[in-house]
Amino acid sequence: MEGFFCGAEADRIAPPASLSAAPRQDARAGARHPMVDGAKCTASGAGIGGGTACAPAKFTVITADASGERVRAGGAKVVVTVTSASVKSSSSDAETPGVVVHDPVDHGDGTYACVYVVPRRGDYSVGVVVNDHPIEGSPFPVFFAGAKPGAISP
């Protein structure tokens, strides 16, 4: 069973072991894969639909080329941002206090595992950018229920 973490505790958690089983590289630092068209990439998984505060929210980014065909190689630059709907800012890069976003994990096959944790109940926006272009459907509006009893709160 996975633990639930918020606040300072969330900063110390590592991505779940299932994300670190394959050889990987930091997708933010990776060279841009020339065939990947960010606008044709997609995301799937529970993390783009919301979840429970203080629990890891996970999803996978699947890369594609300009014709929409899946790219089966790594190396794309994937950036995930999570902001609270209550944060008012003119900058799309505004950070929401307490949100922890782990660097996407490049599986080397055109998929990227993404994990983030939000600190409290509420509406958030999950932005996913691949090679400097938002993916299909991004930003995703998501709702998080309150933390389960026993969660470490900020």
Side-chain angles (χ1 to χ4, degrees), residues 27-28 37-44 47-49 58-63 76-83 92-93 101 104 112-116 125-142:
R28 289 181 187 211
D37 181 346
K40 299 289 184 172
C41 298
T42 59
S44 67
I48 58 167
K58 304 174 199 175
F59 65 95
T60 301
V61 173
I62 301 102
T63 57
K77 178 184 172 191
V78 178
V79 177
V80 176
T81 57
V82 180
T83 56
S92 61
D93 294 332
V101 180
Y112 299 78
C114 305
V115 178
Y116 65 96
S125 178
V126 178
V128 183
V129 174
V130 175
N131 290 353
D132 299 323
H133 296 284
I135 71 167
E136 187 177 312
S138 180
F140 300 95
V142 296

Side-chain angles (χ1 to χ4, degrees), residues 7-78:
E9 287 296 314
D11 290 332
R12 291 191 290 263
I13 65 170
S18 62
L19 296 182
S20 57
R24 61 186 190 183
Q25 69 181 33
D26 178 349
R28 289 181 187 211
R32 293 185 186 145
H33 193 284
M35 294 176 35
V36 173
D37 181 346
K40 299 289 184 172
C41 298
T42 59
S44 67
I48 58 167
T52 303
C54 299
K58 304 174 199 175
F59 65 95
T60 301
V61 173
I62 301 102
T63 57
D65 63 18
S67 67
E69 292 293 317
R70 181 169 167 200
V71 172
R72 297 189 182 276
K77 178 184 172 191
V78 178

Side-chain angles (χ1 to χ4, degrees), residues 10-11 81-84 95-101 116-120 124:
D11 290 332
T81 57
V82 180
T83 56
S84 172
E95 290 189 22
T96 299
V99 171
V100 176
V101 180
Y116 65 96
V117 180
V118 301
R120 63 190 58 84
Y124 292 83

